[in-house]
Amino acid sequence: MSVIGCGYLGAVHAAAMASLGHEVVGVDADPAKAAALAAGTAPFYEPGLDELLAAGIGSGRLRFSTDVADAAGSAVHFLAVGTPQLAGASAADLRFVREALTGLLPHLREGDVVAGKSTVPVGTAAELAPAIEQRGATLVWNPEFLREGWAVHDTLHPDRLVVGAGDDEAGRRAVRRLREAYADPIAEGSPFLVTNRETAELVKGAANAFLATKISFINAMAEIAEASGADVTLLADALGHDERIGRRFLGAGIGFGGGCLPKDIRAFAARAEELGKGEAVGFLREVDAINLRRRAEAVRLVVESFGGSVVGRRITMLGAAFKPYSDDVRDSPALDVATRLRGLGAKVTVTDPQAIGNARIAHPQLKYEQDRDRAIRRADALVLVTEWDLYRRELSPEHASTLTTGRIVVDGRNCLDGGAWRAAGWTYRGLGRP
Ligand code: UGA
């Protein structure tokens, strides 16, 4: 197998496929990334990935290259390159998918299967297929649902596998080949769903749109709670007991970020517009707007906690990554809130156990301190924006009190025990809570 593109998705996929017993070559144009992976070190933080890489390389089944010619001879080629948001527009930028395919085409043999894993607008596979078929190969779409931070687990034990293929002999052969590739997770019970290519592309966009909508729904309820004196966290607990609703992804706070949900809902809406069905997903614009309003509300809450101004106040942001167990800061709500507070004149320090390297590149103007206790020393307020255990479970108000100057804590993820912080003499504020 080959895996073209070795970022958060492809690197994990390559290592996971090798651990399932396949012979895998990962191809990435970035020499530094390919070299790090070849040495068994993930160029980003993903729990369990280094071990999986080392095992794959040690077994001789996993290697990495910068040259797409090394993909030649593989029976299945997974396309795992990024599809970021187009600059200045909502749509997805498919440049990397097209470039990867152009590079791969001359190396395809009769009977090869190209399996697209990247998140693409519905209709992309139909556009790419003819060039692949000209080489006697077959294109299927096989979207990926892994979560960063859980990527190794999600890839080895997927909650479902979806393969979109043409309804002809070549399509059926390609589906059989992917069934073989995923034989272990299938044997373990992962459902294997075969659809046409359009449905497979849409499943991915729809899944992320649903997750984003669920988060923004509870954040919309947080706005109502703020105006009425209700507590959104208890509301979410009560709603979550209804199995039809479920408690997961009802975490109210500063909202969703990362390299997927924000850009995917925008690309989804943009594609719906192109199809003349913009109205059908008009609510996604609201989902986006609610999400962005939460960042502003977190800032407002901090300012209010100081009586109306943060000028000159020392504020420590607990977290930089868009979520815990990740060093990814793409569209991170945490850094957005930090940047806005700094813009209002606060002296902001950002701490994070994993993401400071990436954060510094994205926001060089902010001040960083890796060590949690050094970061909170002499702070006037703490603002929790990424729910790492280091802050959520392992920072007691009593310990924090020995280091900080002020006693204000704003909980942007509603993950602290507000009662315990109040009992220790702190002013505790959560989003959507009285
Ligand atoms: C998301 C999807 O969950 C994956 O299924 C999908 O494969 C992936 O995008 C992708 O398209 O590649 P990921 O971006 O890793 O995965 O992160 P999530 O765990 O979905 O979290 C996204 C954001 O939502 C984070 O900023 C998180 O803090 C926020 N969130 C999550 C909430 O604000 N509240 C919640 O209750 C849950």
Side-chain angles (χ1 to χ4, degrees):
M1 297 174 176
S2 78
V3 179
I4 316 291
C6 292
Y8 285 98
L9 160 58
V12 179
H13 192 70
M17 289 295 112
S19 89
L20 294 179
H22 304 297
E23 210 169 292
V24 183
V25 57
V27 180
D28 199 288
D30 178 349
K33 201 183 278 181
L37 288 165
T41 317
F44 49 85
Y45 175 72
E46 184 63 52
L49 182 55
D50 280 352
E51 292 81 349
L52 206 66
L53 285 167
I57 293 161
S59 73
R61 287 194 300 270
L62 178 63
R63 63 201 170 92
F64 291 93
S65 167
T66 52
D67 187 359
V68 70
D70 286 327
S74 293
V76 182
H77 307 271
F78 290 101
L79 287 183
V81 293
T83 51
Q85 191 173 335
L86 263 180
S90 301
D93 185 349
L94 296 178
R95 188 169 23 137
F96 302 116
V97 175
R98 295 205 176 90
E99 281 173 13
L101 192 58
T102 306
L104 178 64
L105 277 176
H107 307 291
L108 288 180
R109 295 169 318 179
E110 180 104 19
D112 280 5
V113 174
V114 178
K117 293 203 79 65
S118 309
T119 301
V120 293
V122 58
T124 303
E127 179 204 315
L128 302 176
I132 293 167
E133 283 158 11
Q134 252 177 20
R135 306 276 316 167
T138 308
L139 176 65
V140 297
W141 218 264
N142 170 219
E144 179 56 57
F145 304 102
L146 68 78
R147 300 159 296 170
E148 283 175 30
W150 300 91
V152 169
H153 170 273
D154 289 353
T155 308
L156 290 173
H157 312 283
D159 49 19
R160 78 285 210 193
L161 291 153
V162 178
V163 177
D167 186 22
D168 53 8
E169 192 38 44
R172 282 188 284 277
R173 215 177 27 239
V175 169
R176 278 200 296 278
R177 194 162 287 172
L178 283 201
R179 221 186 264 280
E180 283 160 25
Y182 293 120
D184 283 11
I186 293 170
E188 220 188 48
S190 295
F192 185 85
L193 284 86
V194 181
T195 66
N196 64 14
R197 289 192 293 233
E198 288 73 17
T199 308
E201 292 168 321
L202 205 52
V203 169
K204 175 61 198 237
N208 278 0
F210 189 89
L211 294 171
T213 303
K214 203 169 173 192
I215 298 168
S216 277
F217 177 83
I218 202 62
N219 280 332
M221 295 305 108
E223 292 191 28
I224 307 295
E226 277 150 14
S228 61
D231 184 326
V232 74
T233 62
L234 298 177
L235 175 76
D237 290 345
L239 290 176
H241 284 297
D242 183 332
E243 281 180 10
R244 293 168 303 172
I245 298 175
R247 182 63 172 83
R248 293 175 78 192
F249 272 67
L250 284 186
I254 56 171
F256 59 82
C260 301
L261 262 42
K263 62 110 176 148
D264 285 354
I265 58 167
R266 291 170 199 150
F268 197 70
R271 181 62 183 140
E273 291 281 351
E274 286 170 12
L275 293 168
K277 294 291 172 192
E279 253 185 1
V281 291
F283 67 92
L284 288 179
R285 262 190 295 278
E286 287 302 321
V287 166
D288 205 357
I290 292 164
N291 190 52
L292 296 177
R293 279 207 296 275
R294 292 286 80 194
R295 303 174 181 192
E297 175 59 17
V299 172
R300 197 197 62 75
L301 212 53
V302 177
V303 173
E304 191 185 85
S305 303
F306 279 112
S309 168
V310 291
V311 173
R313 302 297 195 151
R314 284 185 301 266
I315 298 178
T316 298
M317 312 297 299
L318 300 174
F322 84 107
K323 67 170 191 180
Y325 312 109
S326 172
D327 65 356
D328 196 344
V329 300
R330 288 176 292 173
D331 203 348
S332 170
L335 290 175
D336 194 2
V337 173
T339 304
R340 291 180 198 212
L341 286 170
R342 181 176 179 272
L344 293 174
K347 292 181 179 153
V348 174
T349 300
V350 178
T351 186
D352 190 288
Q354 292 294 338
I356 285 192
N358 286 339
R360 208 189 289 279
I361 295 167
H363 296 272
Q365 77 286 7
L366 291 169
K367 186 178 158 224
Y368 297 96
E369 170 54 62
Q370 170 97 38
D371 182 80
R372 183 197 68 190
D373 285 1
R374 268 205 296 274
I376 68 177
R377 191 165 294 147
R378 295 180 59 235
D380 296 314
L382 305 179
V383 184
L384 190 152
V385 274
T386 313
E387 66 277 33
W388 289 99
D389 282 345
L390 188 61
Y391 315 137
R392 183 168 68 150
R393 296 187 201 281
E394 295 160 22
L395 178 61
S396 70
E398 292 74 23
H399 178 65
S401 300
T402 65
L403 296 167
T404 61
T405 306
R407 295 286 182 274
I408 295 171
V409 61
V410 175
D411 185 358
R413 293 293 183 181
N414 286 326
C415 62
L416 296 174
D417 179 349
W421 284 79
R422 286 197 181 109
W426 287 69
T427 300
Y428 170 90
R429 304 294 303 270
L431 270 81
R433 308 180 80 175

